[in-house]
Amino acid sequence: MDRLDHLEHLDKHLVDELAQVARETVRDELREQTRKQRRTATLYAASGAAALYAGAALALAVGLALALGLPDWAAALITAVILGAVAYVLRGAARPAGSRPEVGQGAGAGVGGTAPVAAPPTGPGTPYPPMPPVAPGATGTPEPGTAPTRAGTDAEQPHHRA
């Protein structure tokens, strides 16, 4: 039995040692990956800063070129409108495809959209419950805040003018 206790101690020691080696290996690997990602992020940041300055220089060049034939304020205004249009197009290109309204779907009365339909869509996946088939209170009880109607009054018959 004493021999088995000694082997059990060796097993525990071996497991602890293997766990320590695995932890160190994983830690070193993560440290190396973090170092690579940090370098990549730094290069992306530097690239973005350079692109920002290049865009500013391009905008200045466009403004100065327009200022040759126009007043300075008009050249600056036209340059601002051009940059705004470019920003709008880039924002639209950056949106995921699922969030863009397609032609024929109601996205308001904006460009390329149609007017919204009178009733909201229902069914599974909609953010609100389906509309009931009968309006609340249609069983003969009036809605709160409305005057009750009597059968045979003018409220049920159409009004015609001669």
Side-chain angles (χ1 to χ4, degrees), residues 93-107:
R95 281 189 178 164
S99 68
R100 287 189 211 147
E102 295 181 16
V103 177
Q105 288 184 347

Side-chain angles (χ1 to χ4, degrees), residues 57-77:
L58 180 65
L60 180 65
V62 168
L64 290 174
L66 288 172
L68 292 175
L70 297 171
D72 292 342
W73 65 268
L77 184 64

Side-chain angles (χ1 to χ4, degrees), residues 76-86:
L77 184 64
I78 291 172
T79 303
V81 168
I82 291 171
L83 289 174
V86 168

